[in-house]
Amino acid sequence: MNPVIKIDGLSFGYEFGDSVLKDIYLEISPGEMVALVGQNGAGKTTLVKHLIGLLRPPAGKVRVADLDVANTRVSKLSRQVGYVFQNPDHQIFHDTVQAEVAFGLNNLGLPREEVEPRVTAALSDVGLEHLANENPQRLSRGQRQRVALASVLALRTPVIVLDEPTTGQDYQERKQIMALVEQLNKAGHTIVFITHDMSLVAHYASRVVVLCQGQIILDGDTREVFRQTDKLAESLLLPPQVTVLANQLNEPLNTSVSPVILSVDEMQEYLQRVREVKRNGAGD
Amino acid sequence: MARVIEYIYRDSIIHQLNPLSKLAWALGVMVLALTFNDPYYLLALLISVGLVGLTGRVMKDLSGVMKGLSIFALILVLLQVVFYHGAYREAVTLGIAMGLRMMTVVLSFLVFLSTTQYKDIILVLTEKMKLPYDYVFMFMTSLRFVPTFLNEAIQVGYAQQVRGCPIDSGNPWRKMKAYIAVALPLVLISLKKAERLAIAMETRGYGSNNRTYYKEPIISTLDYFVIFLVVVLIIGAIILRCKGLGVLH
Ligand SMILES: Nc1ncnc2c1ncn2[C@@H]1O[C@H](COP(=O)(O)OP(=O)(O)OP(=O)(O)O)[C@@H](O)[C@H]1O
Ligand SMILES: [Mg+2]
């Protein structure tokens, strides 16, 4: 399948600084759910800004949905790529939640009969339908973040980029947001999300890209990436505790065949299997 | 663009000067610029300010602003030519002088501000010049927030563009309408920020009397030299002016 995102040797530095991205190659196929992780200042936000033209790549270096980002308007790219910012206050300005969410749809020129159901759907997706007529300025920060999220999700773009969508959310909301993102992914949207929360990565991402000082140092299946604890440690990243525990228990064995455990449930299942094997072994 | 009047950390002799001597220098430049109206004199002055900026290693950062300023200066010249009642030659000379004067004064203050930390400026204005702290603080803080504000403006622009808001449109009418979506969040953010700043300051004891200061900028021999030089230059300029040099009638 043709990749929906194709980055071909992208390097970048801000006007007065050192280089922030160094020779990035990345291909993402339609329907993938990719987590982009790395330390503060690794260049994650800088990288994803190139996907929607907020930072202009040189011609031919970044293609999204068959558009060359270098010479496509942001407002045109926004039909293909949805982008949720770290700070919701940069976009919120209407005086009802509803109007805020409708803004993007109106920009796309959708007729009213289509805007309304989409707004309602997006709001109920993020669990804010009861606040539809509230003024966003009176909501909590976590709620405003979900307004921002809804206003992008309502656009139903094939690609959705989320820059730390769950910061400042409590456990319940975090799970709700990620479940929603997962559901969108299952419906065919390609997702790229940035996060510092490794348990979210373990739970939701099928692929992990690790950025370290502007370079991709690991890129692969979530289990494969979490197996490489040494490499991850370079970026001061620690897989979820249960994964670390499993890796350590497996250390005396041949690690390349023993499974990488991503959740407590998997661990439990694994231990049960080991116990059964042992019991059977003891029976001989 | 977001870098206008912002302290830029560089290792330079200009950065190490006492804020007072830099302020004296900037004010001195202003006096000189107002004393003369001969374009050659003003050009020399502008070049000298540029050299100070180069020594401070901030000219590259200020080049964007300077480009904008020179366009503005050009407009000044054109306005003079169009509206001046008198000889064409005179009008052009006068226009050029005005443009150069403006660029010189603005550049000298930009060099001053970009090589001096706000807290040091506040410190010398209140402690050495005995200006009331509240007003100095208010003034400097609003200056301090200009770059932050510009940066926010860019971010808000981004946030609206990705929702298809046509601020990158070629059509000026659509573009103007689209800017409402940028202006409103900016106002909201600024109000919130001001409120937060007030709370942050109060909770950390702003307004209780007798403040002390973390670090006092020292006055070195070089500072005395700079201030001496500025005084000499101003006196020299006044003498020249009295002799009728550097002014066109
Ligand atoms: N507008 C800017 N101008 C200059 N330098 C910048 C700008 N934005 C970011 N940088 C620099 O680029 C580097 C990468 O920043 P970026 O925001 O991409 O990191 P990040 O991986 O998203 O970090 P975080 O996890 O904190 O969000 C940092 O060193 C930062 O200082
Ligand atoms: Mg970031």
Side-chain angles (χ1 to χ4, degrees), chain A residues 74 81 166 175 192 214 231:
Chain A
V74 177
V81 187
T166 58
K175 257 180 70 177
V192 177
K231 205 94 197 243

Short mmCIF file of all heavy atoms in Angstrom, two decimals, chain A residues 74 81 166 175 192 214 231:
data_model
loop_
_atom_site.label_atom_id
_atom_site.label_comp_id
_atom_site.label_asym_id
_atom_site.label_seq_id
_atom_site.Cartn_x
_atom_site.Cartn_y
_atom_site.Cartn_z
N VAL A 74 -1.78 25.50 4.01
CA VAL A 74 -2.18 24.82 5.25
C VAL A 74 -3.68 24.58 5.25
O VAL A 74 -4.16 23.51 5.60
CB VAL A 74 -1.77 25.64 6.49
CG1 VAL A 74 -2.25 24.94 7.75
CG2 VAL A 74 -0.28 25.82 6.53
N VAL A 81 -5.24 16.45 6.91
CA VAL A 81 -4.58 16.21 8.20
C VAL A 81 -5.26 17.03 9.28
O VAL A 81 -5.41 18.24 9.16
CB VAL A 81 -3.10 16.64 8.14
CG1 VAL A 81 -2.39 16.22 9.43
CG2 VAL A 81 -2.41 16.05 6.93
N THR A 166 -3.28 14.00 25.94
CA THR A 166 -3.80 13.59 27.25
C THR A 166 -3.15 14.31 28.42
O THR A 166 -3.45 14.01 29.56
CB THR A 166 -3.61 12.08 27.46
OG1 THR A 166 -2.23 11.78 27.34
CG2 THR A 166 -4.40 11.28 26.47
N LYS A 175 -8.18 7.66 29.40
CA LYS A 175 -8.63 6.40 28.79
C LYS A 175 -9.70 6.67 27.76
O LYS A 175 -9.71 6.09 26.68
CB LYS A 175 -9.17 5.47 29.88
CG LYS A 175 -8.18 4.38 30.21
CD LYS A 175 -8.69 3.44 31.27
CE LYS A 175 -9.82 2.54 30.82
NZ LYS A 175 -10.20 1.61 31.91
N VAL A 192 -1.12 9.65 14.30
CA VAL A 192 0.22 9.86 14.85
C VAL A 192 0.01 10.62 16.16
O VAL A 192 -0.57 11.70 16.16
CB VAL A 192 1.10 10.71 13.91
CG1 VAL A 192 2.46 10.97 14.55
CG2 VAL A 192 1.26 10.02 12.56
N GLY A 214 16.75 14.85 17.66
CA GLY A 214 16.50 15.11 16.24
C GLY A 214 16.73 13.94 15.32
O GLY A 214 16.63 14.07 14.11
N LYS A 231 18.70 0.75 24.32
CA LYS A 231 18.56 1.83 23.36
C LYS A 231 17.57 2.88 23.89
O LYS A 231 17.78 4.07 23.76
CB LYS A 231 18.05 1.24 22.04
CG LYS A 231 18.39 2.04 20.82
CD LYS A 231 19.66 1.58 20.16
CE LYS A 231 20.16 2.66 19.20
NZ LYS A 231 20.20 2.26 17.82
#
